Amino acid sequence: IVIFPSQAYDPEGIDLIEICSKANIPTLFLVDNWDNLSSKTIFWKHPSKLGVWGDQSIAHAHSIQDIHPKNVTAIGTPRYDNYFRLRSTILESPYQFKYILFVGTALEFDEFDVLVKINEIIDTQQNIFQGVKLVYRPHPWRQSVKGVIPKNLKHVVIDSQMESDFIKNNRSVSVQPSLEYYPALLSNAEFVLGGLTSMMIEALIFNKIFLGFVHDDRKNFTSMHNVYENYEHFQGIDSLDAIILCDNLDLLNKKLVYAWNNKNSLDLDSTDLQRQFYYYHDNQSYPDRLKNLVDSSL
């Protein structure tokens, strides 16, 4: 068997399928991200088996890629194994203050406008947000080259892991932040907000409310309202108890306060059950699930 970690649009993947097919060797492609089957390209040659995130990806493999569900298995990704091991433990916070975590998007989207508005809300509602800061974590490979983060946002700090590269405007894919940092950052956040990214799933793993921005920023083609309307993998997220969507920044104050007031109201079992459709996890580790998939494939 040939096992290939795939983004679902790798040219070498097509070569592998062709070569292995002629040699009568089965191929197992491990699709390592949420949207790769629905927003990247079409498999014009099919591997023997696919390992994907969850049941939604299985449905996408069938409806978009024309791959039979019997050849697709939900096994998650090794990147998140550590999250499930650590989420029930007390992790030391990376900050000495209470914080709301803002996770940036790779796509062009005016996040700075949102930062200004949240800073103003925190400033004018100190009866609710006293001592609270917004930790802004820009996406390491953000595509946006427009705008400069406003100065004098006294309630906003740049996440320490990303601060140096952000200031240098280093958006190279060579920037590979350590995954060991994420569990403590997510676990200690009061809740999480940002544009629509896979960090939404990571927040749900830690049973955090995610306030997602889906408004029109009136600047970018990849503004989050377009992303929400046109990216297949985000369909249905509005039905999840942990997800709050904001489609109008005039409502941001109300949504922010609501998220704050309900940040401790989520039931972990319910959150896990709803998340399973998008991202599968059981009591096994990823290596064990992968081994079982290999065994069944052979």
Side-chain angles (χ1 to χ4, degrees), residues 1-17 20 26-32 43 47 49-52 75 286 290 294:
I1 191 167
V2 172
I3 303 173
F4 181 58
S6 172
Q7 296 180 351
Y9 58 91
D10 325 83
E12 61 270 34
I14 302 300
D15 292 337
L16 279 175
I17 295 170
C20 290
T27 49
L28 169 58
F29 279 30
L30 306 176
V31 181
D32 191 45
F43 275 121
K49 300 286 185 180
L50 280 180
V52 299
I75 61 172
Y286 182 89
L290 177 57
V294 170

Side-chain angles (χ1 to χ4, degrees), residues 164-183:
S164 176
D165 287 306
F166 179 74
I167 292 173
K168 296 175 183 175
N169 197 29
N170 182 7
R171 294 174 286 113
S172 168
V173 292
S174 64
V175 177
Q176 295 285 346
S178 171
L179 293 177
E180 299 301 315
Y181 174 70
Y182 286 48

Side-chain angles (χ1 to χ4, degrees), residues 30-234:
L30 306 176
V31 181
D32 191 45
N33 217 337
W34 185 4
D35 66 322
N36 285 11
L37 290 177
S38 63
S39 70
K40 295 297 186 284
T41 189
I42 298 295
F43 275 121
W44 50 278
K45 288 185 180 292
H46 292 170
S48 310
K49 300 286 185 180
L50 280 180
V52 299
W53 269 34
D55 287 344
Q56 185 200 47
S57 299
I58 295 176
H60 288 167
H62 181 52
S63 64
I64 298 172
Q65 304 288 347
D66 198 28
I67 298 175
H68 197 284
K70 71 178 182 181
N71 295 323
V72 190
T73 303
I75 61 172
T77 171
R79 286 180 291 142
Y80 297 165
D81 258 15
N82 207 32
Y83 292 10
F84 288 96
R85 285 196 295 267
L86 294 175
R87 68 178 184 171
S88 60
T89 64
I90 298 176
L91 303 173
E92 183 179 356
S93 176
Y95 298 100
Q96 301 303 310
F97 48 79
K98 291 183 178 181
Y99 62 92
I100 300 166
L101 178 62
F102 188 131
V103 291
T105 66
L107 299 174
E108 284 194 304
F109 174 58
D110 188 358
E111 296 172 343
F112 297 161
D113 185 38
V114 183
L115 290 178
V116 171
K117 294 184 185 302
I118 295 177
N119 183 77
E120 181 180 347
I121 292 170
I122 293 176
D123 197 51
T124 56
Q125 300 207 45
Q126 281 293 289
N127 58 318
I128 299 175
F129 300 109
Q130 185 174 10
V132 177
K133 291 190 179 295
L134 184 71
V135 173
Y136 172 55
R137 180 181 176 80
H139 195 286
W141 313 312
R142 62 199 178 282
Q143 297 171 12
S144 177
V145 295
K146 302 173 184 175
V148 177
I149 189 169
K151 296 181 179 180
N152 303 319
L153 298 182
K154 64 180 180 179
H155 303 292
V156 177
V157 299
I158 301 172
D159 184 26
S160 57
Q161 190 190 46
M162 290 302 303
E163 185 174 13
S164 176
D165 287 306
F166 179 74
I167 292 173
K168 296 175 183 175
N169 197 29
N170 182 7
R171 294 174 286 113
S172 168
V173 292
S174 64
V175 177
Q176 295 285 346
S178 171
L179 293 177
E180 299 301 315
Y181 174 70
Y182 286 48
L185 180 68
L186 288 162
S187 176
N188 288 284
E190 300 297 318
F191 62 91
V192 185
L193 48 76
L196 303 183
T197 75
S198 58
M199 287 293 283
M200 181 187 309
I201 299 298
E202 299 178 49
L204 265 58
I205 292 173
F206 283 90
N207 204 33
K208 299 294 181 179
I209 280 180
F210 187 94
L211 172 56
F213 302 117
V214 293
H215 63 280
D216 184 353
D217 71 2
R218 303 184 184 279
K219 297 177 182 178
N220 298 294
F221 177 72
T222 51
S223 173
M224 287 298 107
H225 76 295
N226 276 332
V227 171
Y228 181 53
E229 290 175 5
N230 295 290
Y231 277 61
E232 189 70 22
H233 63 297
F234 291 129

